[in-house]
Amino acid sequence: MEKSQETNSIEELVKIVDFAETQHGTNSSRGFRYHLQTLHLFTVNDLKSILVPETAFGIFSALSGRLLTTNPSPTLTTVLSRLPHAALWTYLNLVIFDLANQRLLSSLLEDSVNKPWRPLPSHRLSLAQARRLLLFLIPAVTAASIFLGGLEETIVMHVLTWMYNDLYGADEHYAVRNLINAAGFMTYSYGATRVAAGPYELNAVMRYQWVPIIGAVILTTLQMQDMSDQDGDAQKGRGTLPLKWGDGAARWSIAVPVVFWSLACPAFWRMQYWGWAVPLILGTVLAGRVLVLRSVEQDKITWKLWCVWTMTLYVLPLCKDHGVFIRALGA
């Protein structure tokens, strides 16, 4: 009797998967603008946390010249001319990550409740179409990276995407989840800078000191993104830090590292007092908000502030060596 019930449950699950794989897909004859909007809906939640900050990281780092690259005297116009390339490289890799994440059946079920506007729950694509799109994009983005730059980083991103999504690293212990996320942010930072720097290479400080420091920042503070979705993560069985430690302890685990890195990063670059001001002020506000303002809506706002705070750290090398602007004004 129990074996029969188990067989029926498996058959029902197979039917659900088959239905999700084939139903409600979009017509391929839709216009180009429609498909662009579909891609945008896959990535819109990560534009503020990945696309904009990591593209900015690449541009800031390339403009910093010999501090982080082998370019002794970058020019403002040359580096900014590569802004579209750096943004495109970052976005293409982001599309693959988000598509791989949202095509999971568990993600589809969760998004049907929490984010019904996303392409799969809103029936803009079926799971089968999403899978085929991913089959096309992985080699296409890899080939594009040969011309844009950042080929090695793209390959690493493919591996991290596979670990995070298909191997369910996102649902493992929070340490595993944060480690993969930190590695992903580091890879975006390396890749965006490599593209923005053009023919120049990343130097040892960039490779072995600054980007690993940024990775440590992400590793110790990224749980901020989990604070506003504790109910959804609990339903999905994710081992996020707020669920493991409790809400109060998790908030302190964010506030203390934020203040620490707001001091440590300017200290690493031996900034003048004005170079400490913005990261420290914003970091203090961020730490205060996460400890005091604890509603879901306030946590969402604090998460956006976290994204801005990371950018104040990313720009520190350029504040240390802003000769590129002096050269531009002199020209």
Side-chain angles (χ1 to χ4, degrees):
M1 182 69 175
E2 291 181 0
K3 186 175 181 180
S4 176
Q5 290 178 340
E6 182 178 347
T7 301
N8 290 336
S9 298
I10 293 174
E11 288 177 351
E12 288 179 7
L13 181 60
V14 169
K15 289 179 181 178
I16 291 173
V17 173
D18 288 341
F19 180 82
E21 279 276 344
T22 58
Q23 298 299 311
H24 304 300
T26 185
N27 191 323
S28 59
S29 63
R30 294 270 193 172
F32 182 67
R33 184 176 179 180
Y34 178 88
H35 295 301
L36 282 181
Q37 178 68 11
T38 298
L39 286 180
H40 174 69
L41 290 174
F42 272 117
T43 60
V44 64
N45 273 13
D46 290 323
L47 299 182
K48 64 181 179 296
S49 58
I50 296 179
L51 178 63
V52 173
E54 293 306 316
T55 301
F57 182 98
I59 297 299
F60 294 156
S61 299
L63 288 172
S64 301
R66 69 184 68 196
L67 283 181
L68 296 174
T69 73
T70 58
N71 186 351
S73 56
T75 62
L76 188 62
T77 54
T78 300
V79 174
L80 291 182
S81 71
R82 297 196 62 78
L83 173 60
H85 302 77
L88 179 61
W89 181 89
T90 305
Y91 187 76
L92 289 175
N93 281 279
L94 179 60
V95 168
I96 288 179
F97 174 82
D98 284 336
L99 184 56
N101 178 268
Q102 295 172 38
R103 63 170 287 272
L104 299 175
L105 185 59
S106 57
S107 296
L108 173 58
L109 296 174
E110 181 182 8
D111 287 343
S112 297
V113 176
N114 298 327
K115 299 181 179 72
W117 46 264
R118 280 182 166 175
L120 292 169
S122 64
H123 312 316
R124 297 176 75 95
L125 285 179
S126 68
L127 285 178
Q129 289 172 321
R131 176 176 54 81
R132 294 185 188 115
L133 179 59
L134 196 58
L135 283 171
F136 166 77
L137 283 176
I138 290 175
V141 171
T142 304
S145 297
I146 297 174
F147 301 97
L148 290 170
L151 175 61
E152 295 90 345
E153 288 79 9
T154 292
I155 293 172
V156 172
M157 281 303 306
H158 292 338
V159 174
L160 293 173
T161 296
W162 172 65
M163 293 172 63
Y164 191 86
N165 295 308
D166 295 88
L167 296 185
Y168 295 97
D171 299 332
E172 283 290 340
H173 190 275
Y174 65 84
V176 176
R177 174 184 171 92
N178 278 16
L179 277 169
I180 297 175
N181 274 314
F185 273 79
M186 290 173 65
T187 306
Y188 279 120
S189 298
Y190 283 128
T193 304
R194 188 183 295 274
V195 174
Y200 297 95
E201 295 296 324
L202 313 183
N203 66 18
V205 174
M206 175 72 170
R207 291 176 179 274
Y208 307 119
Q209 296 182 52
W210 182 230
V211 171
I213 287 173
I214 293 301
V217 171
I218 302 302
L219 177 66
T220 55
T221 64
L222 190 63
Q223 57 266 30
M224 184 64 240
Q225 72 173 338
D226 300 322
M227 298 308 298
S228 64
D229 195 27
Q230 295 182 56
D231 290 340
D233 287 338
Q235 291 175 3
K236 198 173 180 182
R238 286 187 176 136
T240 61
L241 192 148
L243 296 179
K244 293 288 187 179
W245 286 21
D247 183 80
R251 292 180 184 278
W252 280 102
S253 79
I254 299 166
V256 172
V258 163
V259 173
F260 171 79
W261 292 118
S262 297
L263 294 167
C265 290
F268 174 80
W269 289 111
R270 299 178 183 178
M271 303 296 295
Q272 298 296 324
Y273 71 92
W274 55 268
W276 295 70
V278 176
L280 186 55
I281 292 172
L282 199 58
T284 302
V285 172
L286 174 59
R289 281 188 59 91
V290 74
L291 291 174
V292 176
L293 304 177
R294 302 190 174 202
S295 69
V296 171
E297 288 305 315
Q298 290 297 333
D299 281 336
K300 289 179 179 179
I301 295 172
T302 306
W303 165 241
K304 293 177 182 178
L305 185 63
W306 179 92
C307 298
V308 176
W309 171 73
T310 59
M311 291 182 66
T312 68
L313 304 182
Y314 294 171
V315 77
L316 287 174
L318 182 56
C319 294
K320 178 69 174 180
D321 183 357
H322 47 277
V324 64
F325 297 110
I326 297 174
R327 287 190 296 273
L329 291 173

